[in-house]
Amino acid sequence: MPTIYEVAERAGVSLSTVSRVLNGKSSVNKALKARVDQAVKELNYRPNSVARSLANSRTDSVGVLVPELNAPFFGDLMQAVESTLRAQDKHVIITVGRNCLETEKDAVDFLISRNCDALIMHAEALSDDYLLDLNQNKLPIALVNRKVDGLPNACITLDNEKGGYLTTRHLLELGHKDIAYISGPAYKADACLRLKGHERALIEAGLSVNPQLVFNGNYSEEDGKIGLLELMARDLPFSALVCANDWMASGAISCARDLGMSLPQDLSIVGFDDVVFAHHVFPRLTTVSNPVADMAEMSAKYILNKVYGQAHNVQHCFEPSLVVRESTINFES
């Protein structure tokens, strides 16, 4: 294998010049850089990543923590983070937290043990205090879809309350007044904010918030089915249903069709996230766009700035938008 000494000799420059070129330093004369690049190409030289990490105290790797792997939402997140970092010659190590405190802590410990330069996390169970301590005393972090006081620049968030408001306001504008709701789990901040937005829309329309028209789900497709059956069993009329994510909306659609209901004539349904299958279910799902890929890209750019001294523009808060398809219809009493 060719060495850095051979590269320097072939290019006719010093070892320090080769090192600066290989580490992407901008202080190198363009002509010298071209000679080094040509020598690297001719010799098929590959830098020793271990040696480089020892020299600059970095591994050029970033840990990524997600709750699960089998959901399109988190697939989009991981893809965006990986592609953004890979474009800057950084790599990712991915692990799963499963929304469990101990599992998330184990995952963080694992990523730290792999000498990651930073962490990008979609973490639900870890406390704010834990995250603040982690960022201050161990390594920099970026948080996707979570806001922590004391870490304003590290948080990339969506206005979930506005998203919940948009779903219900859309149904109200179609003439629906009896609107049921399947929420996400109460321990998730985004689920609570989406429910809060739903309630705000009802109150603005002069309607009361009936807790009997709310079912607490856990963001799973199965809970969309269970939730619809439970709400119907309460024997309260409703012409529309808001689900706090598309998975539960998909489960509700499947259940309604199994019950012989005609959609959206018998029941209008709205989801949240606009994942890839939202325009494949029948009827195609009206939902709220959740730009998780854009948010993930911003989290990666934040880390590139914070850890690697780059200068990317970073947007910290994203606005949701309503995507109207065929699963909602004007209500005719």
Side-chain angles (χ1 to χ4, degrees), residues 204-217:
E204 282 188 8
L207 301 173
S208 61
V209 177
N210 187 346
Q212 287 300 303
L213 285 177
V214 177
F215 174 83
N216 294 316

Side-chain angles (χ1 to χ4, degrees), residues 116-228:
C116 293
D117 296 329
L119 301 183
I120 295 173
M121 297 189 287
H122 192 295
E124 300 285 355
L126 296 173
S127 70
D128 288 1
D129 287 341
Y130 177 94
L131 294 169
L132 286 163
D133 179 71
L134 177 63
N135 183 73
Q136 181 175 344
N137 297 315
K138 294 183 180 177
L139 75 174
I141 66 172
L143 299 172
V144 180
N145 199 38
R146 179 164 176 178
K147 195 170 186 177
V148 174
D149 291 338
L151 291 174
N153 294 329
C155 300
I156 312 297
T157 61
L158 176 76
D159 189 341
N160 282 286
E161 196 272 348
K162 182 178 180 180
Y165 175 81
L166 291 175
T167 60
T168 301
R169 189 184 70 176
H170 168 67
L171 292 170
L172 291 166
E173 290 174 346
L174 292 175
H176 297 274
K177 293 184 178 180
D178 299 311
I179 302 172
Y181 192 92
I182 301 179
S183 75
Y187 66 86
K188 288 179 177 281
D190 59 0
C192 293
L193 288 168
R194 293 173 192 183
L195 178 57
K196 183 178 179 181
H198 162 72
E199 293 173 344
R200 176 164 70 92
L202 292 176
I203 292 169
E204 282 188 8
L207 301 173
S208 61
V209 177
N210 187 346
Q212 287 300 303
L213 285 177
V214 177
F215 174 83
N216 294 316
N218 66 0
Y219 280 155
S220 70
E221 182 179 10
E222 185 64 21
D223 265 20
K225 300 176 182 179
I226 295 171
L228 178 59

Side-chain angles (χ1 to χ4, degrees), residues 1-281:
M1 294 291 291
T3 67
I4 192 173
Y5 300 99
E6 293 174 82
V7 172
E9 183 178 0
R10 174 69 66 93
V13 299
S14 67
L15 284 174
S16 61
T17 297
V18 175
S19 178
R20 289 200 302 276
V21 172
L22 294 177
N23 286 295
K25 303 296 184 182
S26 59
S27 59
V28 182
N29 177 281
K30 289 184 179 181
L32 293 181
K33 181 180 183 304
R35 284 159 55 183
V36 172
D37 289 340
Q38 183 62 29
V40 167
K41 182 178 179 180
E42 292 175 355
L43 293 170
N44 195 27
Y45 173 74
R46 295 289 183 272
N48 186 314
S49 60
V50 174
R52 288 177 65 184
S53 67
L54 290 173
N56 60 23
S57 300
R58 294 200 183 106
T59 61
D60 286 339
S61 62
V62 175
V64 179
L65 170 64
V66 293
E68 55 189 277
L69 298 176
N70 63 341
F73 183 88
F74 298 113
D76 291 344
L77 185 157
M78 291 183 286
Q79 171 65 29
V81 167
E82 195 279 335
S83 60
T84 303
L85 293 175
R86 179 63 69 90
Q88 302 298 323
D89 296 322
K90 315 302 178 190
H91 295 266
V92 300
I93 301 174
I94 296 170
T95 187
V96 178
R98 296 191 176 87
N99 296 316
C100 168
L101 179 60
E102 291 307 315
T103 306
E104 286 189 354
K105 285 183 176 180
D106 286 345
V108 170
D109 289 341
F110 166 76
L111 293 172
I112 292 174
S113 75
R114 306 307 296 175
N115 296 317
C116 293
D117 296 329
L119 301 183
I120 295 173
M121 297 189 287
H122 192 295
E124 300 285 355
L126 296 173
S127 70
D128 288 1
D129 287 341
Y130 177 94
L131 294 169
L132 286 163
D133 179 71
L134 177 63
N135 183 73
Q136 181 175 344
N137 297 315
K138 294 183 180 177
L139 75 174
I141 66 172
L143 299 172
V144 180
N145 199 38
R146 179 164 176 178
K147 195 170 186 177
V148 174
D149 291 338
L151 291 174
N153 294 329
C155 300
I156 312 297
T157 61
L158 176 76
D159 189 341
N160 282 286
E161 196 272 348
K162 182 178 180 180
Y165 175 81
L166 291 175
T167 60
T168 301
R169 189 184 70 176
H170 168 67
L171 292 170
L172 291 166
E173 290 174 346
L174 292 175
H176 297 274
K177 293 184 178 180
D178 299 311
I179 302 172
Y181 192 92
I182 301 179
S183 75
Y187 66 86
K188 288 179 177 281
D190 59 0
C192 293
L193 288 168
R194 293 173 192 183
L195 178 57
K196 183 178 179 181
H198 162 72
E199 293 173 344
R200 176 164 70 92
L202 292 176
I203 292 169
E204 282 188 8
L207 301 173
S208 61
V209 177
N210 187 346
Q212 287 300 303
L213 285 177
V214 177
F215 174 83
N216 294 316
N218 66 0
Y219 280 155
S220 70
E221 182 179 10
E222 185 64 21
D223 265 20
K225 300 176 182 179
I226 295 171
L228 178 59
L229 291 173
E230 172 63 26
L231 288 165
M232 294 177 68
R234 294 174 185 176
D235 203 25
L236 293 173
F238 57 93
S239 61
L241 173 67
V242 176
C243 297
N245 78 345
D246 290 344
W247 277 111
M248 294 192 297
S250 173
I253 287 174
S254 175
C255 179
R257 293 177 66 83
D258 287 344
L259 293 172
M261 299 174 71
S262 177
L263 302 178
Q265 290 79 13
D266 294 335
L267 183 67
S268 288
I269 298 178
V270 182
F272 199 116
D273 286 337
D274 196 25
V275 297
V276 64
F277 62 74
H279 58 272
H280 293 305
V281 296

